[in-house]
Amino acid sequence: MLPVVTENLVHDYVTRDEEGNAAEAKRALDHVNLEVEEGQFIVVLGANGSGKSTLAKHINALLLPSEGRVLTCNMDTADDDFLWEIRRNAGMVFQNPDNQIVASVVEEDVGFGPENLGVPTEEILTRVAQSLAAVGMEKYRESSPNKLSGGQKQRVAIAGILAMQPKCILLDEPTAMLDPSGRKDVLETLVCLNKEKGITVILITHYMEEVINADRVFVMNAGRIVMQGTPREIFARSEELRQYRLEVPQVTELALMLANRGIPMPASVLTPEEFAEEYRKLAGVSSENDPAPALSEKPSERNDEPILSLRDVSYVYGEKTAYRTVAVDKVNLDIFRGEYIGLIGHTGSGKSTLIQMLNGLEQASSGTVLFDGEDIFGEGYDRRKLRSNVGLVFQYPDHQLFETTILRDVCFGPRNQGLTEEEAKERAAWALRLVGVDESRWQASPLELSGGQKRRVAIAGVLAMKPQVLVLDEPTAGLDPAGRDEILAEIDRIRRETGMTVILVSHRMEDVARYADRLIVINDGQIRFAAPPREVFRHREELTDIGLEVPQVTQVMQILAADGIVPPSDAIIPEEAAEILAACVK
C-alpha cells in the first residue's frame, strides 16, 4: 500500500484585490510527483519557501490542489466525502505545539481528536492511555499542558495524533523550538512509532542530524523535488545541497574537510561515533609528548564597562498560589559593552524570563537590574527609552508582528523613537535588506509569511531601532541553514562595526561555539557556568545531565582523545578539528 501519492501536484497561492478579484498567483508546488511506501520514515528538506509545509498540508487535505491530485491512503483529498477519514489517517503535528493543544488537562487534550471522530468514551480512555504510554508521558496524564516543557508539549501533541490511530504522521519542524534533550526525545519517539508500530512518518526539518533516521530523503527547491535518496546518498552531494541553501551534518562537513586535504575519509559519515570509527582506521596513536596545538578563544571586543548588571535577581511565577514556580533564582551577572553572549539552557530553565527582565518587560520579584548603572525599576526611570536601547526579538515572531504591511511593521520602532516618516522608512529599508527580505514583499502583510520569513521581519523590526543591546531569543528557529548562517554572520558584523552588545539565546551549540565570546549556562533558574565556550564545552557530562550537548566536532575530538588516537584538545568548530586531525594521520 502507498499511504501517500501525489500526481503532478500544483498549488498556487492567489492574492486578491479589495474587490475580491484574483490579483496575483504565486506557485508554491510545481508538478510534484511523490510516492511514500507504507511504514517508511521519510524526511523532507528544503529552504524556507521551497514548498515543504504546503506539501504536508496537501497530504492531510488542509489544502487542495490547483492542479493534479493527492491520494492519502487511497483517498482523493479533493473529495469532501473522505475529508475526516483522511485527517484521521494522516495526522499532522505543527512546529509550535501551543498551536494545537486545546485543553487544560493533558488527557483531555489527547482525547480531543477521538472524541470529535465519535469514538465511544471507553475506547477514548483506552486510546489516551496507550498514546501517552507510547510517547512516555503517562505520569503527566492529569497535568496542565501549560506546566510542561516544550519537548513534553510536543510529545503530548504527538500523543493526540496517535489517539486517532493514524496510518501516517506528518511533522512540520516539530523540534525547531526544542533543546537538544527535547529534540532527542521527540526523534526517539518517532523512530519507535515507526519501527515498532509500523506508522509511516513524514518529517520536515532543518536539522541535518535528524535526517540519519530516514529510509528516504526528499529535497525540495522552488516547489519541486530536486533530489531524493538515502541519507548517505543525499549527504554525499554536499555541493548540490549548498546550492539549495542546505548543509550536511557537522561531522560530515569535518570528513569532507579531511578528504579535501587528501585524507581518505568516506564522503558521507553521519554520526560522531561513525566518524571516530572511520578515523581510527587511518590514524596513528598520538604521543603524549605531542600535544594538540593551543587554540585561542575568539578575541573579545568588549570593554570593561558593564552595560547590564543583575544583582541577586529572582523571578517567581504564581507567588502565593499552589503553582508557585521560581523561574530565576538569585542571579548575579555582568554583561559588558560589545560582548557577544551565548545564553543556553534546557527548555524551562529560565532563559526567556531572564532576558525579559533586561528591558523591563518583566519586573524582578527581588534584586536589581541595572542598565548603564541605573536601576531600571527605580522610581521615574524611563523604560520606554530603555526598550529602544535594549531590543528584544521574541522566540515566536507572531508575538511582535501586527501591522498591515511588512514595511509599516519594521517602521513602528523607529517612529516611536521620534524619527520622521522618511527617516523611519530609511531605517526599515536598511534592516529589511540586512535580513534578506526582498523589496517586492515589503507591501505584503507580515501575517502571510512563512515562519522563517516572519522571523526575519521580526529581527529587522528590532535592528531598525539600532539598539545598544540586541537580545535574540532563538532567532534562527525555523530558518533554513543558509538563512541561519546569513543572519548570524550579519549580526556579528554589525556588532563588530557598531560595538553593539549581543545576547543570543540558542539551542544550537554549533552557533554559540562559532560566535560567542562567553557562554552563560542556565539550569533551574541559576547560572551553572559563565565562561568562554571552550571552557564550558569541556564539561560534556554535566551539560548532558541538564539537557544540553556539545558541538558534534567536540564530541568527535573527545571520543578520539579518550581512545588515545589524538591528543586532548578544545576544538569546537570544524576548521580547528580538521587541522588537528590532519596532523595526527601517520
Side-chain angles (χ1 to χ4, degrees):
M1 176 182 172
L2 297 173
V4 176
V5 177
T6 70
E7 299 174 351
N8 289 316
L9 173 60
V10 172
H11 188 86
D12 294 326
Y13 286 108
V14 179
T15 57
R16 299 187 180 276
D17 59 25
E18 294 179 358
E19 285 74 37
N21 300 314
E24 181 184 3
K26 180 183 178 184
R27 181 145 296 184
L29 296 176
D30 190 5
H31 296 90
V32 172
N33 290 287
L34 174 72
E35 289 186 355
V36 176
E37 296 180 8
E38 185 175 8
Q40 280 190 316
F41 194 121
I42 299 295
V43 170
V44 181
L45 300 176
N48 294 122
S50 62
K52 306 184 303 298
S53 296
T54 301
L55 176 62
K57 290 174 183 176
H58 273 277
I59 293 171
N60 78 339
L62 286 174
L63 293 174
L64 298 179
S66 302
E67 297 175 28
R69 69 172 184 159
V70 179
L71 297 176
T72 299
C73 299
N74 292 324
M75 294 175 283
D76 193 325
T77 61
D79 190 332
D80 288 344
D81 293 339
F82 293 139
L83 183 62
W84 288 104
E85 191 66 12
I86 286 171
R87 291 182 182 166
R88 185 183 75 79
N89 281 286
M92 188 159 180
V93 179
F94 296 96
Q95 182 182 106
N96 181 0
D98 289 331
N99 290 344
Q100 66 188 97
I101 291 179
V102 297
S104 57
V105 178
V106 165
E107 65 177 354
E108 292 178 2
D109 194 86
V110 176
F112 181 80
E115 185 176 11
N116 277 277
L117 294 172
V119 176
T121 301
E122 289 302 315
E123 175 66 12
I124 290 175
L125 294 174
T126 301
R127 290 192 187 187
V128 168
Q130 291 173 341
S131 300
L132 287 172
V135 299
M137 291 293 287
E138 311 100 298
K139 69 179 182 179
Y140 296 97
R141 181 170 181 155
E142 297 180 357
S143 300
S144 166
N146 293 331
K147 305 301 177 185
L148 302 179
S149 71
Q152 291 168 331
K153 285 181 182 179
Q154 199 62 281
R155 281 188 279 174
V156 170
I158 294 171
I161 297 300
L162 284 178
M164 295 190 287
Q165 297 186 343
K167 295 176 181 177
C168 175
I169 299 180
L170 307 157
L171 303 106
D172 191 359
E173 296 194 56
T175 62
M177 302 293 183
L178 303 185
D179 57 44
S181 177
R183 287 203 302 271
K184 182 179 178 183
D185 288 346
V186 169
L187 262 293
E188 287 178 350
T189 298
L190 294 177
V191 171
C192 177
L193 293 172
N194 175 249
K195 303 305 180 189
E196 297 183 9
K197 297 185 178 294
I199 293 174
T200 303
V201 174
I202 301 176
L203 172 67
I204 297 171
T205 184
H206 284 145
Y207 285 104
M208 298 301 111
E209 58 268 29
E210 294 179 0
V211 175
I212 64 173
N213 300 293
D215 298 312
R216 197 154 191 82
V217 181
F218 293 90
V219 178
M220 297 191 67
N221 183 62
R224 291 177 175 267
I225 293 175
V226 293
M227 297 172 67
Q228 58 179 296
T230 66
R232 291 193 194 282
E233 290 169 344
I234 294 296
F235 289 140
R237 299 159 65 183
S238 60
E239 289 304 314
E240 192 173 348
L241 282 173
R242 289 190 178 94
Q243 292 175 17
Y244 299 130
R245 299 179 61 82
L246 299 174
E247 64 182 359
V248 297
Q250 198 179 56
V251 287
T252 311
E253 180 185 2
L254 180 58
L256 289 169
M257 286 181 174
L258 291 180
N260 289 336
R261 292 172 181 240
I263 298 170
M265 285 290 289
S268 56
V269 173
L270 299 180
T271 68
E273 293 76 16
E274 188 180 342
F275 183 102
E277 183 61 31
E278 292 293 339
Y279 186 81
R280 288 186 187 102
K281 300 173 185 177
L282 304 172
V285 177
S286 298
S287 166
E288 292 183 2
N289 297 320
D290 185 22
L295 300 170
S296 61
E297 290 293 349
K298 174 175 173 279
S300 173
E301 297 177 36
R302 78 180 205 190
N303 62 34
D304 292 330
E305 180 185 356
I307 190 167
L308 283 164
S309 297
L310 287 78
R311 299 287 180 261
D312 289 323
V313 169
S314 296
Y315 188 93
V316 180
Y317 287 103
E319 185 71 86
K320 299 181 180 178
T321 73
Y323 298 105
R324 183 180 186 275
T325 303
V326 179
V328 177
D329 188 13
K330 297 180 180 177
V331 165
N332 288 282
L333 177 66
D334 284 326
I335 296 170
F336 297 90
R337 291 185 183 278
E339 194 172 23
Y340 199 130
I341 293 286
L343 183 61
I344 60 178
H346 63 79
T347 305
S349 61
K351 305 185 302 296
S352 293
T353 301
L354 179 66
I355 62 174
Q356 287 177 34
M357 288 189 287
L358 299 181
N359 75 345
L361 287 179
E362 297 284 4
Q363 181 165 355
S365 302
S366 61
T368 305
V369 179
L370 305 172
F371 176 76
D372 261 351
E374 293 186 65
D375 183 351
I376 69 171
F377 296 111
E379 186 176 348
Y381 189 86
D382 185 355
R383 280 191 288 278
R384 180 174 175 177
K385 183 178 179 182
L386 171 71
R387 288 166 192 150
S388 289
N389 286 314
V390 183
L392 173 60
V393 179
F394 293 106
Q395 186 175 42
Y396 298 110
D398 286 336
H399 293 176
Q400 65 190 93
L401 301 177
F402 58 91
E403 273 284 10
T404 54
T405 70
I406 291 170
L407 184 63
R408 285 182 59 83
D409 204 292
V410 180
C411 283
F412 181 80
R415 280 199 202 100
N416 280 347
Q417 289 178 305
L419 273 64
T420 66
E421 188 68 19
E422 192 61 33
E423 290 170 333
K425 286 182 177 179
E426 286 180 8
R427 285 271 195 96
W430 166 80
L432 285 166
R433 291 191 182 101
L434 191 66
V435 300
V437 177
D438 191 87
E439 191 168 351
S440 64
R441 304 298 308 276
W442 292 0
Q443 295 305 318
S445 166
L447 304 181
E448 296 174 357
L449 302 175
S450 70
Q453 291 167 331
K454 286 179 180 178
R455 193 166 297 280
R456 289 173 182 270
V457 173
I459 293 171
V462 175
L463 283 176
M465 294 188 290
K466 296 195 173 179
Q468 294 185 51
V469 181
L470 179 63
V471 185
L472 303 124
D473 194 357
E474 292 288 345
T476 61
L479 293 182
D480 58 57
R484 177 198 70 219
D485 293 345
E486 287 164 4
I487 283 183
L488 290 177
E490 285 297 334
I491 287 169
D492 190 47
R493 182 184 63 78
I494 294 168
R495 181 190 69 87
R496 287 185 279 104
E497 290 179 359
T498 66
M500 179 175 67
T501 302
V502 173
I503 302 172
L504 173 66
V505 180
S506 181
H507 286 142
R508 275 188 54 86
M509 301 302 105
E510 291 79 8
D511 292 342
V512 295
R514 185 169 292 279
Y515 290 105
D517 304 318
R518 186 163 55 121
L519 297 186
I520 310 297
V521 182
I522 304 289
N523 183 51
D524 294 334
Q526 297 182 325
I527 294 178
R528 184 71 171 268
F529 298 104
R534 295 194 201 288
E535 184 176 332
V536 170
F537 289 141
R538 290 175 195 146
H539 302 276
R540 181 182 179 186
E541 189 172 325
E542 293 116 298
L543 291 173
T544 302
D545 287 343
I546 62 175
L548 300 177
E549 191 47 279
V550 301
Q552 281 194 336
V553 296
T554 306
Q555 294 177 44
V556 165
M557 301 305 286
Q558 291 175 353
I559 292 170
L560 292 173
D563 289 347
I565 304 298
V566 301
S569 77
D570 289 330
I572 58 176
I573 60 175
E575 295 86 348
E576 297 171 342
E579 181 179 349
I580 295 168
L581 293 174
C584 290
V585 174
K586 303 296 185 183

